[in-house]
Amino acid sequence: MRPTGKLHLGNYMGALANWVKLQDSGQYECYFFIADVHALTTEYADPSSIAPNTQEVILDYLAAGLDPAKSVLFVQSHVAQHYELPVLLGMSTPLGWLERVPSYKEMQENLAHKDLTTYGFLGYPVLMASDILLYQPKYVPVGHDQQAHVELTREIARRFNNFYKLDGCEVLPEPEVLLTPSPKLPGTDGRKMSKSYGNTILISDPEPVVRQKLKTMTTDPARVRRTDPGDPDKCPVGDLHKVFSTPETMAKVYEGCRSAGIGCIECKSWAADALVQILNPIQERRSKLHEDEVRAILKEGAVKAAVRAEQTMTEVRAAMKMPA
């Protein structure tokens, strides 16, 4: 993840919770990092927030359950190979491939107040592909919205392998998408939960803040008065219930809302109860983490990542006939 501040429920349900399940399954050797170099593609003019935000993200990683004893956790810029491979892959990546990436124009429009007509921003898909290919993975765990990025990574790897081989063998495998669940998670204004919209519930928000944010949350527009019936399927609070509440609570929500037997305030309080039950243990783990401990985890993770990444780079350099 890019270090843009503390993580919210959308980040947790869309990625972190799935990562923890993959790690705990014991089926995979997992690498999770904080993409601080990626943050520079849009924050190059003022990078002062990247380091403190990186600290916040690693705390959320650990609090959510990522375990340095089971996974490799590190910061992108702490592993030198993350600078080297993008340069080499960029030499053979066609310009048209980068310009057709959907998020290229989209982010320029959404961040119109920033000058994104830079080499770094145009080339971020190559940097992303390098982040993946450095570990020669079989799978990349992503949601549906990230499949295009993995497909471009496969194309970059394929093109590299067409040009360069090592003893007749391909060096960079074409990774497969490992689709992970990414439930619909609305923000407090009903739109997709996003920091840019200012509508997030942070996984580090204390209980009073969570409850206050839920109180202001948008509901079914058909419920103008307390006596008006509503439909949880048309309500952002209903969407939260579907992700976090028990079947018993969901039954009460459907019955009470559609009959106007309950008001929105009561429905929101039930949603808050479900969120707090999930967030409390995460926040308790976060409160017990110490700066020195976190620094040691990242240092050890960078060493492990660099060892694995250098294995790939040794093969890449040899295939490209670069000096050892």
Side-chain angles (χ1 to χ4, degrees):
M1 295 184 191
R2 285 161 49 105
T4 56
K6 293 180 179 180
L7 303 183
H8 55 73
L9 277 174
N11 302 132
Y12 177 71
M13 293 306 300
L16 263 180
N18 293 321
W19 294 356
V20 173
K21 290 176 184 175
L22 290 174
Q23 162 198 270
D24 291 346
S25 73
Q27 298 180 57
Y28 308 98
E29 180 183 356
C30 297
Y31 291 77
F32 302 112
F33 71 93
I34 300 166
D36 58 339
V37 181
H38 273 289
L40 282 172
T41 61
T42 56
E43 307 302 319
Y44 64 87
D46 180 14
S48 59
S49 65
I50 295 177
N53 283 343
T54 297
Q55 182 70 10
E56 295 292 349
V57 173
I58 188 59
L59 288 173
D60 282 337
Y61 274 16
L62 294 167
L66 289 183
D67 184 349
K70 299 177 181 178
S71 300
V72 180
L73 309 177
F74 63 101
V75 177
Q76 183 184 21
S77 65
H78 295 179
V79 179
Q81 292 83 353
H82 280 268
Y83 294 111
E84 183 179 5
L85 186 56
V87 174
L88 298 180
L89 291 184
M91 298 303 175
S92 58
T93 301
L95 182 60
W97 289 9
L98 305 179
E99 293 175 326
R100 78 172 192 227
V101 173
S103 56
Y104 177 64
K105 294 291 184 185
E106 181 183 321
M107 286 189 69
Q108 285 184 323
E109 293 170 0
N110 292 342
L111 300 174
H113 59 290
K114 295 185 177 183
D115 178 11
L116 298 182
T117 56
T118 61
Y119 166 79
F121 183 73
L122 177 66
Y124 88 86
V126 180
L127 181 60
M128 184 180 296
S130 301
D131 296 333
I132 296 168
L133 297 172
L134 265 175
Y135 303 94
Q136 296 173 308
K138 184 170 184 180
Y139 299 109
V140 186
V142 293
H144 284 278
D145 60 337
Q146 292 291 317
Q147 288 187 82
H149 290 297
V150 179
E151 184 54 40
L152 179 58
T153 296
R154 289 169 56 85
E155 291 177 347
I156 289 173
R158 193 177 308 136
R159 185 170 170 86
F160 179 91
N161 291 331
N162 283 338
F163 283 119
Y164 314 109
K165 288 183 172 57
L166 181 61
D167 299 326
C169 298
E170 295 182 348
V171 171
L172 301 177
E174 296 180 30
E176 300 174 27
V177 166
L178 182 62
L179 283 177
T180 53
S182 186
K184 178 183 178 183
L185 207 65
T188 53
D189 60 0
R191 295 183 291 177
K192 178 183 177 181
M193 191 175 291
S194 170
K195 292 189 186 82
S196 60
Y197 294 150
N199 65 356
T200 62
I201 298 171
L202 303 178
I203 63 177
S204 55
D205 276 341
E207 181 174 341
V209 174
V210 172
R211 294 190 179 278
Q212 182 57 40
K213 286 183 176 181
L214 261 292
K215 284 181 181 178
T216 66
M217 190 163 183
T218 301
T219 56
D220 180 358
R223 294 205 73 178
V224 178
R225 293 176 294 274
R226 167 66 176 77
T227 54
D228 293 333
D231 185 350
D233 292 332
K234 298 177 181 177
C235 176
V237 178
D239 289 331
L240 287 184
H241 275 296
K242 291 171 188 174
V243 176
F244 297 106
S245 292
T246 64
E248 293 75 18
T249 299
M250 279 303 307
K252 292 196 299 180
V253 168
Y254 274 106
E255 167 61 26
C257 184
R258 287 173 171 166
S259 66
I262 61 169
C264 292
I265 293 299
E266 187 173 9
C267 182
K268 290 176 177 180
S269 71
W270 293 346
D273 290 342
L275 292 184
V276 167
Q277 192 169 1
I278 289 173
L279 294 178
N280 275 348
I282 294 175
Q283 293 172 4
E284 185 177 352
R285 286 193 293 268
R286 199 181 204 273
S287 68
K288 294 178 180 178
L289 294 167
H290 299 289
E291 187 174 334
D292 290 345
E293 176 190 6
V294 173
R295 189 182 299 112
I297 288 170
L298 290 177
K299 184 176 181 180
E300 181 182 1
V303 170
K304 290 179 179 177
V307 169
R308 181 61 188 86
E310 183 57 24
Q311 293 175 14
T312 302
M313 288 311 306
T314 298
E315 295 179 21
V316 167
R317 296 186 205 107
M320 295 184 72
K321 307 296 190 289
M322 301 293 287

